Structures are given as structure tokens and as C-alpha cells.
């Protein structure tokens, strides 16, 4: 061997050291690949939904968005997701929305749970009639927390049901769950919730195959 080759060999780490660190390098490489591949990606897949044909036929439907029932241990998760949903629907010009203040006065800012329904409000149809809307959008938040593992990862789960006022027909029903992951670009819990809402709205727009026109209020 020449002098240059001899110097390169001397610079290389001992074989025992290479063998010792090999498992740790492999683990770190796999961890980074998994994080990069999943970071910002949908872990729960696409929303699962049912859309009645009548929903596409009435693009100017007036809808009241009710506070979502909170099935998690995180306080106010239902109200937070309902606000995100209302904002996204408004921004995308999807449905006309009933007055938020009217919903607040009727329900006191609480979801329409069986043991806390206002007098005379035994069904979503009655609620819709009282609010003078074509349909009501209700549902629940099933996940809204950080899961603990090698690291904390935000997890959000949402279930939505749109009920027509005049006959109780379900026009839209959807469920979606997401987990925010990534090594270098971590998502917050609110960011994951926002992404879940956007994907739910994208799904209903895609399935109705038409973006409703802007409706002046």
C-alpha cells in the first residue's frame, strides 16, 4: 500500500467500535425515516363519510352548528373543534350558518346531550325549528390530547352528523381521526384539529362534486 492509503486506514475507527455503534445508527436512521415519512401526513387515513344526494342539491342550505359533545378529558375540546369547523365552513362558503348567538342562547354553549336538553327540545328537528334553520350540525370530539410514547404526539378524533330539520333525514355523517407526527416539524394539538376539520370539509366538497357559490348574508 502507498503512503496515502496507509493514512486513510489509520483514520478509520476500530472495527470493534463500528460494530458497537451499528445498532444505534440503524435505530436512529429508521426513526428519522419514519418521522420524515409520517410528519405532517394523515395517520388515520381519509375521512369516512355518508352524504345524502339531497345535500348537493341544496348548496344554500342554512345550518346551525351546535357545540360538539366532548368525550375526551380535555376541557372545552368540543367547543374548540366546533369553532374551527364553523370558521372553515364560512371560509369555504359551504352552507349558510345560523346565528351563533341564537345557538348560544338556546343551548347555553353546551352540546345537546340527552340529560341537558332545553325544555321542549327533545330532538334535533325541534332544535332546528327553534333556530329557524334547514339543518343542524352536531357531533362529538372523541380524541383531543397528546399521546405519550417515545415522544408526545397530538391526536384528534371528530364525529359529525348533519340532520335536516323538516324530516330528521341525515344529510351528512362523517368521522375522522388524525395524529400529528414528525421529528423535526412537530404539530400542535390545535394544528392537528384544524387539519382534521379541513379534510372533513374537503371530503364533503369532493363528494358533492360542486363548490357552493358565495351566498350573501
Amino acid at each position: 500500500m502507498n503512503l496515502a492509503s496507509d493514512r486513510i486506514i489509520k483514520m478509520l475507527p476500530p472495527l470493534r467500535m463500528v460494530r458497537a455503534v451499528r445498532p444505534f445508527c440503524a435505530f436512529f436512521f429508521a426513526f428519522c425515516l419514519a418521522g420524515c415519512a409520517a410528519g405532517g401526513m394523515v395517520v388515520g387515513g381519509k375521512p369516512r363519510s355518508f352524504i345524502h344526494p339531497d345535500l348537493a342539491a341544496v348548496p344554500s342550505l342554512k345550518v346551525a352548528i351546535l357545540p360538539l359533545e366532548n368525550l375526551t378529558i380535555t376541557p372545552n375540546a368540543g367547543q374548540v373543534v366546533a369553532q374551527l369547523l364553523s370558521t372553515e365552513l364560512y371560509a369555504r362558503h359551504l352552507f349558510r350558518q345560523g346565528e351563533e348567538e341564537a345557538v348560544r342562547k338556546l343551548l347555553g354553549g353546551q352540546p345537546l346531550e340527552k340529560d341537558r336538553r332545553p325544555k321542549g327540545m327533545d330532538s334535533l328537528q325541534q332544535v332546528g325549528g327553534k333556530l329557524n334553520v334547514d339543518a343542524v350540525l352536531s357531533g362529538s370530539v372523541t380524541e383531543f390530547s397528546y399521546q405519550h410514547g417515545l415522544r408526545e404526539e397530538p391526536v384528534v378524533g371528530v364525529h359529525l352528523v348533519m340532520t335536516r330539520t323538516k324530516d330528521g333525514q341525515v344529510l351528512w355523517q362523517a368521522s375522522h381521526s388524525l395524529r400529528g407526527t414528525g421529528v423535526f416539524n412537530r404539530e400542535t394539538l390545535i394544528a392537528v384539529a384544524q387539519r382534521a376539520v379541513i379534510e372533513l370539509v374537503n371530503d364533503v366538497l369532493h363528494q358533492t362534486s360542486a363548490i357552493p357559490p358565495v351566498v350573501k348574508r
Side-chain angles (χ1 to χ4, degrees):
M1 293 185 292
N2 56 34
L3 183 60
S5 299
D6 190 43
R7 287 179 178 177
I8 292 175
I9 291 174
K10 289 181 179 180
M11 293 172 62
L12 294 176
L15 183 58
R16 284 180 299 177
M17 182 181 297
V18 173
R19 289 176 176 173
V21 301
R22 185 183 298 168
F24 298 99
C25 292
F27 172 79
F28 180 76
F29 182 68
F31 180 77
C32 289
L33 280 179
C36 293
M41 299 296 288
V42 178
V43 177
K46 296 180 180 180
R48 298 180 61 85
S49 62
F50 159 81
I51 295 179
H52 193 278
D54 288 354
L55 188 62
V58 190
S60 59
L61 204 69
K62 188 175 182 180
V63 178
I65 300 177
L66 308 185
L68 303 182
E69 185 175 0
N70 184 11
L71 302 180
T72 77
I73 61 173
T74 305
N76 302 319
Q79 295 178 349
V80 169
V81 176
Q83 285 291 335
L84 292 174
L85 180 61
S86 175
T87 301
E88 186 64 22
L89 291 174
Y90 185 86
R92 304 290 290 275
H93 309 297
L94 184 58
F95 313 127
R96 292 180 298 144
Q97 292 188 34
E99 295 183 7
E100 186 178 341
E101 183 62 26
V103 175
R104 187 180 296 110
K105 286 183 178 181
L106 181 65
L107 302 179
Q110 299 298 322
L112 196 67
E113 299 177 13
K114 291 183 178 180
D115 57 345
R116 290 191 298 191
R117 289 182 176 178
K119 186 177 180 180
M121 298 292 103
D122 296 326
S123 69
L124 292 171
Q125 289 178 257
Q126 291 176 316
V127 172
K130 188 72 174 179
L131 294 172
N132 193 29
V133 294
D134 300 312
V136 292
L137 186 57
S138 60
S140 60
V141 178
T142 56
E143 290 279 358
F144 197 87
S145 62
Y146 286 93
Q147 287 189 349
H148 299 278
L150 292 176
R151 48 176 292 165
E152 290 186 339
E153 294 179 345
V155 179
V156 174
V158 183
H159 178 71
L160 301 175
V161 181
M162 180 181 289
T163 306
R164 187 160 55 193
T165 300
K166 68 177 182 180
D167 56 5
Q169 173 67 53
V170 173
L171 298 177
W172 176 30
Q173 184 165 338
S175 295
H176 197 24
S177 60
L178 291 179
R179 183 176 70 225
T181 58
V183 176
F184 305 109
N185 184 23
R186 299 184 63 183
E187 287 185 291
T188 65
L189 189 57
I190 294 297
V192 176
Q194 179 71 66
R195 189 156 54 88
V197 166
I198 289 173
E199 292 180 8
L200 283 165
V201 173
N202 284 344
D203 180 67
V204 70
L205 284 172
H206 174 71
Q207 292 205 49
T208 53
S209 301
I211 300 178
V214 177
V215 179
K216 294 184 179 180
R217 303 192 175 205

